[in-house]
Each structure stands twice: as structure tokens, then as C-alpha cells.
Amino acid sequence: MSTTQSERLRGLLEPLVSAQQLDLEEIEVSRAGRRRVLRIIVDSDEGVELDACAELSRAISEKLDESDAMGEDEYVLEVSSPGADRPLTEHRHYVRAVGRLAAFRLAADGSGDLVARILAVDEDGLDLEVPGVKGRKPTARRLAFDEIARARVEIEFNRKDKKEEEA
């Protein structure tokens, strides 16, 4: 998608998304056969419910029908929340991931990869808990944002809830 079209779509859709108390995370236009697919990714601190996506999809569809932002060609509109494997790229993404396990690729000077639980986030970086290996206790670590090349939440299938741990 051209930068001009991306900027135009963002300018057109951002007020609709903000009116629903959501963040516009991504706009992507791609080809699917003879049609185009317009994918709108939205999120919030509380997550996004299916009903909110449906309501927003209707509002976006109406707005796009009123404008010529997508041109005359057919397209499919998809409005959804980000997947579990979305990279952490914005400060708000890290804040939303507090308490979650994340995989980090450290910057060039760093020591490779790190998997740790995000305990707290501030303007400069993260407070992490690095799991202990072979029965050892977890250790605390501070990681500045400029030390992170890439980060992504790790999906945990067998993590116990705090209430379960206390029982």
C-alpha cells in the first residue's frame, strides 16, 4: 500500500477508532485474487471484544463508502484485534503485557536472546523476572528499551493463575 493511501486511510479511520476508545494499531491493504483485503487491527488496554470489532467494522464500512479512499475496485474489510504473536513495538504494548512471559532479541551489543516475565514498565525500560533454570530461583533484571531489538509475548499453556498458586 502506498504511503499516501496509508496516511489517507489512517486520517479517515483514526477518529472512528478513537471514538470507540480503541487504538488503531495497523492498516494493511493486500491482494487476495482479484480483490483487495483491507485489514484494520485495533487494540485497547482491556482488549477488544468481538462486538466492538463488528460495530467498528460497520462504521468503517460506511465511512469508506462515503469516500473514495479505496477507489472503485472491490475489497474485503477485516477489523480485528492483534494476534497473540504480535511483536511488542510501542510502549503501550509493553504496558499491556505486564505479567506475561516475553521473548526478547537483544540489540547488537547484547547477549543474544532472553525469555522473561514483564513485571513493570516505565518510560526508560522494563523490570523483568528471568525464570530460574533447573530448580534455581528466578532473578530480577532491568532492560532498557534501547537494548531491545525485538520482543514478542510468549504463549503459555500451563501457567497457573495466582489464585491457583495460593491455594
Side-chain angles (χ1 to χ4, degrees):
M1 169 171 62
S2 72
T3 304
T4 306
Q5 185 183 25
S6 175
E7 291 169 358
R8 189 166 177 212
L9 285 169
R10 185 167 285 279
L12 188 67
L13 303 179
E14 190 110 47
L16 294 174
V17 174
S18 295
Q20 301 258 348
Q21 284 79 45
L22 299 171
D23 297 318
L24 179 57
E25 294 291 345
E26 187 178 336
I27 297 175
E28 176 188 321
V29 177
S30 60
R31 282 250 171 240
R34 293 165 42 151
R35 290 187 179 159
R36 292 176 297 158
V37 176
L38 172 59
R39 220 171 258 112
I40 310 292
I41 308 297
V42 296
D43 201 5
S44 78
D45 290 343
E46 295 79 37
V48 182
E49 294 185 4
L50 185 58
D51 290 343
C53 285
E55 186 177 326
L56 183 59
S57 179
R58 285 188 290 276
I60 289 173
S61 182
E62 287 176 19
K63 189 67 151 180
L64 291 174
D65 288 348
E66 294 170 3
S67 78
D68 64 344
M70 289 300 292
E72 294 298 318
D73 295 341
E74 291 183 21
Y75 66 92
V76 175
L77 174 62
E78 294 179 4
V79 177
S80 68
S81 61
D85 61 346
R86 174 202 45 200
L88 303 174
T89 57
E90 303 284 335
H91 184 270
R92 67 178 178 266
H93 298 165
Y94 289 99
V95 171
R96 292 174 184 156
V98 168
R100 310 270 317 264
L101 197 62
F104 300 91
R105 167 70 40 99
L106 303 179
D109 69 332
S111 44
D113 296 336
L114 172 68
V115 176
R117 188 163 313 280
I118 301 172
L119 299 178
V121 180
D122 60 31
E123 294 305 314
D124 301 319
L126 313 169
D127 291 327
L128 305 173
E129 179 183 76
V130 181
V133 180
K134 296 183 181 178
R136 293 191 179 127
K137 291 188 179 211
T139 57
R141 177 162 181 185
R142 176 76 181 167
L143 194 60
F145 286 120
D146 63 359
E147 295 178 84
I148 302 170
R150 285 193 320 252
R152 182 177 311 274
V153 168
E154 290 283 291
I155 298 172
E156 296 178 85
F157 293 106
N158 60 356
R159 180 170 182 218
K160 291 183 180 176
D161 191 341
K162 283 193 180 248
K163 291 177 184 174
E164 291 177 34
E165 289 175 2
E166 292 171 0

